[in-house]
Amino acid sequence: MKTTNKESILSAANTLRWEIGEHIHDSLVESIYADANQIASRAVTVPTEKPRFNFDKRLDKLITSRWFGFPLMFLLLAIVFWLTVEGANVPSAMIATFLVDTIHPWLKGLFTMVGSPWWLTGLLVDGVWLAMAWVISVMLPPMAIFFPLFTLLEDFGYLPRVAFNMDSLFRKAGAHGKQSLSMTMGFGCNAAGVVATRIIDSPRERLIAIITNNFSLCNGRWPTQILIASIFFGALVPAHLAGFVTAGAVVGVAMLGIFFTLVVSWGLSKTVLKGEASAFSLELPPYRPPQLWQTLYTSLIDRTAIVLWRAIIFAAPAGAVIWLVSNIHIGELSVAEHFINWSNPFGILLGINGVILLAYIIAIPANEIVIPTVLMLTVISTKLTGVGDGAGVMFELDEATAVADVLRAGGWTFLTGLNLMLFSLLHNPCSTTIYTIYKETKSVKWTTVATVIPTVMGLVICFLVAQVWRLITF
Amino acid sequence: MSNTPNANCEDCPVHNLGNLTKLGINMSQFDFVVALAGNPNTGKSTVFNALTGLRQHTGNWPGKTVTRAEGGFVYGNKRFKLVDLPGTYSLLSTSTDEEVARDFILFGQPDVTVIVVDATRLERNLNLVLQVLEITDRAVVCLNLMDEAKRHNIDVDARRLAKDLGVPVVAAAARQEEGIPDLLKYIYEVATGAYVCRPHRLERTAPRLEKAISELTAKIMNEFPNLPNSRWIALRLLEGDQKIIDAVKSGELENLSRNTTILSVA
């Protein structure tokens, strides 16, 4: 009885729909607009005299202008990175001294005193503790500088202008203009960027935005870029210029990421995800003075603490894994050395090495721990003495120059540094992002596509760069 | 902590903020659910933070909030759960954020829906307000950014607007916490039923459409007698909205008309 009533409602709706024709939606929208107009005109009194000077409009003309828009964007990004690079060194070294030079021996002593077996001390103190200490000292200072600066730019209203500047490029690539917004979110965190693609209506364009979000350098990768750039690019020029060149190199890699976003979007929309780009209107909100203290508070407490916490959670088990692979021996060599020796020829072909390949496998849960892992593995595989504390012990090197010494001893060249930066930009998303992509697309196929495309691109591009480099230098 | 500290001042409008206990994310055993809707970039998250004491990051571009954020507060001895919906310009299109917002207002059945509007762009913001008022008859309009309007010499008559919309309109500048006491007062009054809204409903110009709607509305009223928005449901059915058709089929609409359970919307 109940069901028949419901069905009669639906069938009545069907019949009536045919009777009234196709214009319901239009007439509904029309009546909404008409009523809104009438109500607003009764309630609002606007000034009769136009304001003489409109600051917002002038500023928008400059920021979104054809000639100044992009250079200004590069410049602002470069300034943010430069401040981050220059400001983070000293606090990083201080934190490292405390956590590694003071706490680590103390913990080790404590474990020995209570009579814990050597492998437990190794696993927990040398593996887990040092991995966490490294992540905190390397990541906390840059994040504490980068996030507030970036958030201030956000709050001021700059991001919608970036989107406005990028919109036409995305449309030419067959993607949705709003993708520029989700891409910008990806600079903070790719998982967040993937969720942000929900603002895109069309499923086709949303998929493109999800698949290409990984090309935005995320938090976990900024420190890698900054450190490697300062070692291999900053060292090319005199010390007083090093900061600028480093920032420039990092901006370059970030821009390359935007370039790949556009190219891959274009490729997808011309092949498997064919279709028209849909139109949308983007509102340029009024500039608002950022709420300075609240911004500092939210970006420090919310973003920095949350990202750092995530990094620590992922670093702890990874630290244990690193310690295990370098302390479990098969025959003469440890598991790590076996893998490195086996994959090294392949790595060299790509202009990187076996250490980097292994580091990227261990670091799938979080990009943040790539650099500590690389350093530690380099030390084991080259049997360096005088640095670090033995097999599987991650260590902190107070100065970037000390890191550089270790890497050079491991056979690193400018090409290795360059290709590590490229590979850091182009490889599989971290496991959190992969999971988020699956949750958003509910499709194993598209999740696989989003994981495989950047990895293959990374391998191919590193290979090509290595071949070209060797042609030039030999 | 659930009781307000100064019970004597409870009914005194001057002490509204004294009556407010910000609960952050502690939302157990709430009495009322309040939804927060609005265009992007109207200060919705600022209002959310002002009421709950949370520090959700506020940014001013579309897409900042794409999922619902939830928080709680106590006011006048009642516990409120506040749900921050994604900022949208409309509820008619098909993007995920608009669907989340619409589904929550319809199926989540909030006791009050607060619509935050930008006083400097009233006409465009009213498009969303009118759409929300089609769905629910318990709403409060928060006329935010009055400070910016003043700076641009735009004068908005909140009383006139309240009269035309048939729901309370509160002039506010949420960044300075101006207007928050009045907003709380009206949320409380609408939630408890002390203030009965007579929301503006759209007039159909086309007689054929009007006839179809009344015919279908009558049928719906017959089946779901207590539905607060049968005309809107009729219109959606005429448009062929699959989600609403499914809701009629599965009887989900019945739950709405009984008004007993609060459905969670995935």
Side-chain angles (χ1 to χ4, degrees):
Chain A
M1 183 61 201
K2 276 269 174 191
T3 340
T4 33
N5 275 343
K6 281 171 197 155
E7 268 161 18
S8 88
I9 292 177
L10 294 179
S11 67
N14 267 331
T15 327
L16 289 167
R17 190 178 310 142
W18 287 108
E19 275 173 28
I20 47 182
E22 292 170 5
H23 303 298
I24 318 170
H25 190 85
D26 291 351
S27 86
L28 173 66
V29 173
E30 263 169 39
S31 59
I32 290 172
Y33 274 65
D35 284 21
N37 176 276
Q38 195 192 22
I39 294 172
S41 67
R42 280 202 292 227
V44 180
T45 323
V46 281
T48 43
E49 200 186 329
K50 287 239 165 178
R52 278 162 306 177
F53 179 76
N54 190 325
F55 175 72
D56 280 20
K57 256 191 190 150
R58 286 283 183 90
L59 198 57
D60 268 343
K61 264 209 171 125
L62 183 73
I63 287 183
T64 62
S65 85
R66 190 182 294 247
W67 303 112
F68 285 107
F70 279 101
L72 193 68
M73 186 169 91
F74 300 141
L75 189 70
L76 279 175
L77 273 178
I79 291 174
V80 167
F81 294 136
W82 181 75
L83 288 173
T84 308
V85 171
E86 291 288 309
N89 281 338
V90 177
S92 262
M94 277 163 57
I95 295 173
T97 312
F98 176 69
L99 292 180
V100 179
D101 297 350
T102 315
I103 300 284
H104 178 246
W106 178 82
L107 268 180
K108 218 163 179 175
L110 190 74
F111 269 69
T112 322
M113 207 169 71
V114 298
S116 102
W118 69 273
W119 56 267
L120 189 66
T121 313
L123 193 67
L124 292 181
V125 180
D126 293 340
V128 175
W129 168 258
L130 277 185
M132 293 196 307
W134 229 107
V135 166
I136 294 172
S137 59
V138 168
M139 291 191 59
L140 181 60
M143 283 196 311
I145 298 170
F146 179 74
F147 278 147
L149 287 175
F150 200 74
T151 316
L152 284 174
L153 273 184
E154 266 178 54
D155 282 1
F156 177 62
Y158 186 63
L159 284 196
R161 271 84 190 175
V162 172
F164 184 87
N165 285 340
M166 305 282 304
D167 168 59
S168 68
L169 291 176
F170 277 100
R171 236 174 332 140
K172 277 178 200 147
H176 199 291
K178 278 189 197 167
Q179 191 180 329
S180 48
L181 287 169
S182 63
M183 182 193 77
T184 325
M185 289 283 273
F187 284 131
C189 168
N190 293 134
V194 168
V195 175
T197 61
R198 288 181 187 181
I199 54 173
I200 297 172
D201 315 6
S202 118
R204 176 189 83 86
E205 289 162 335
R206 202 178 151 206
L207 260 179
I208 294 179
I210 288 177
I211 293 170
T212 54
N213 195 272
N214 189 44
F215 296 122
S216 298
L217 274 183
C218 70
N219 282 307
R221 296 184 270 171
W222 290 119
T224 308
Q225 296 289 346
I226 291 169
L227 184 70
I228 298 298
S230 58
I231 291 174
F232 290 98
F233 283 84
L236 296 177
V237 292
H240 63 279
L241 291 175
F244 291 104
V245 173
T246 305
V250 177
V251 172
V253 173
M255 291 305 140
L256 197 63
I258 297 178
F259 172 75
F260 284 129
T261 304
L262 290 166
V263 169
V264 174
S265 299
W266 179 82
L268 287 169
S269 73
K270 287 285 170 285
T271 55
V272 281
L273 290 168
K274 264 192 196 130
E276 288 297 308
S278 47
F280 78 108
S281 62
L282 177 71
E283 180 187 6
L284 292 184
Y287 293 97
R288 293 187 180 137
Q291 291 164 296
L292 192 66
W293 294 112
Q294 177 163 0
T295 300
L296 282 179
Y297 178 88
T298 38
S299 54
L300 281 178
I301 300 301
D302 290 0
R303 287 200 179 182
T304 310
I306 286 170
V307 172
L308 188 68
W309 180 238
R310 197 183 86 86
I312 290 173
I313 296 220
F314 281 109
V321 169
I322 294 169
W323 189 85
L324 286 174
V325 293
S326 38
N327 280 279
I328 297 174
H329 287 73
I330 302 172
E332 285 289 291
L333 297 172
S334 66
V335 174
E337 285 164 294
H338 276 296
F339 183 88
I340 291 167
N341 290 344
W342 171 76
S343 65
N344 213 30
F346 181 58
I348 299 289
L349 198 64
L350 297 173
I352 45 179
N353 56 39
V355 166
I356 296 175
L357 289 174
L358 179 57
Y360 268 97
I361 293 172
I362 293 177
I364 284 176
N367 283 301
E368 288 84 350
I369 53 176
V370 164
I371 284 294
T373 313
V374 161
L375 283 177
M376 204 269 325
L377 292 173
T378 304
V379 173
I380 329 171
S381 64
T382 52
K383 305 266 190 259
L384 273 184
T385 47
V387 275
D389 292 315
V393 184
M394 268 204 259
F395 51 87
E396 158 69 7
L397 300 149
D398 298 346
E399 301 275 327
T401 51
V403 177
D405 290 342
V406 171
L407 293 180
R408 294 222 168 79
W412 286 50
T413 60
F414 181 80
L415 173 68
T416 324
L418 175 66
N419 272 5
L420 174 57
M421 286 172 76
L422 289 173
F423 197 67
S424 157
L425 174 70
L426 301 167
H427 69 94
N428 56 286
C430 71
S431 53
T432 313
T433 306
I434 296 178
Y435 178 65
T436 310
I437 293 174
Y438 177 71
K439 271 200 308 190
E440 293 294 316
T441 60
K442 303 234 169 20
S443 147
V444 178
K445 182 183 134 200
W446 291 117
T447 311
T448 315
V449 168
T451 310
V452 170
I453 286 183
T455 315
V456 170
M457 282 177 66
L459 296 175
V460 170
I461 284 168
C462 284
F463 175 77
L464 291 178
V465 169
Q467 304 319 309
V468 171
W469 178 266
R470 283 166 189 152
L471 272 181
I472 298 171
T473 49
F474 285 106
Chain B
M1 260 320 281
S2 72
N3 288 341
T4 46
N6 40 357
N8 289 337
C9 306
E10 207 165 279
D11 301 322
C12 167
V14 181
H15 285 280
N16 274 321
L17 276 186
N19 271 334
L20 174 69
T21 312
K22 296 170 178 179
L23 290 179
I25 54 166
N26 172 15
M27 296 170 294
S28 51
Q29 297 172 326
F30 45 84
D31 301 298
F32 298 111
V33 177
V34 181
L36 201 56
N39 283 19
N41 195 31
T42 50
K44 230 157 43 67
S45 299
T46 314
V47 172
F48 179 85
N49 290 345
L51 291 177
T52 59
L54 289 174
R55 308 257 178 201
Q56 210 201 5
H57 176 65
T58 56
N60 55 359
W61 77 89
K64 180 72 241 186
T65 319
V66 282
T67 43
R68 315 182 331 231
E70 301 184 349
F73 62 92
V74 171
Y75 178 79
N77 273 337
K78 297 286 182 201
R79 296 173 78 88
F80 291 82
K81 176 165 114 171
L82 187 63
V83 180
D84 190 9
L85 301 174
T88 57
Y89 295 104
S90 145
L91 299 175
L92 293 170
S93 92
T94 49
S95 68
T96 320
D97 49 346
E98 292 191 11
E99 231 175 75
V100 169
R102 189 202 70 179
D103 286 357
F104 189 81
I105 298 173
L106 179 62
F107 298 115
Q109 282 229 296
D111 296 288
V112 186
T113 301
V114 174
I115 315 156
V116 183
V117 303
D118 178 349
T120 64
R121 291 163 174 75
L122 185 63
E123 184 176 338
R124 201 188 49 208
N125 279 248
L126 281 178
N127 293 330
L128 178 72
V129 175
L130 293 174
Q131 290 177 44
V132 173
L133 293 185
E134 288 287 296
I135 304 179
T136 176
D137 53 2
R138 294 158 148 229
V140 176
V141 169
C142 174
L143 190 59
N144 196 22
L145 303 173
M146 282 302 270
D147 47 338
E148 264 179 44
K150 208 168 281 169
R151 234 183 30 233
H152 291 99
N153 287 325
I154 300 170
D155 183 50
V156 185
D157 184 349
R159 290 174 70 183
R160 175 83 234 184
L161 195 58
K163 219 170 192 176
D164 282 348
L165 292 175
V167 297
V169 173
V170 180
R175 278 176 75 148
Q176 284 80 37
E177 302 231 330
E178 276 167 36
I180 299 297
D182 278 348
L183 182 62
L184 281 164
K185 190 186 94 183
Y186 281 119
I187 291 174
Y188 181 86
E189 287 183 359
V190 172
T192 54
Y195 187 112
V196 180
C197 301
R198 306 245 176 278
H200 174 95
R201 292 278 154 99
L202 295 170
E203 287 153 35
R204 320 283 161 201
T205 38
R208 244 191 327 177
L209 179 60
E210 184 54 51
K211 191 176 146 281
I213 291 178
S214 351
E215 206 171 301
L216 200 55
T217 308
K219 271 188 185 300
I220 295 169
M221 290 288 271
N222 204 19
E223 173 75 10
F224 308 106
N226 297 319
L227 216 55
N229 43 20
S230 45
R231 278 177 62 88
W232 185 81
I233 300 283
L235 191 72
R236 296 314 296 166
L237 287 177
L238 285 174
E239 269 206 58
D241 187 322
Q242 195 56 45
K243 200 134 190 179
I244 306 297
I245 293 175
D246 291 345
V248 171
K249 264 189 204 154
S250 68
E252 202 171 346
L253 278 180
E254 237 165 336
N255 292 332
L256 296 193
S257 50
R258 277 202 212 104
N259 200 7
T260 45
T261 45
I262 288 149
L263 300 176
S264 64
V265 182

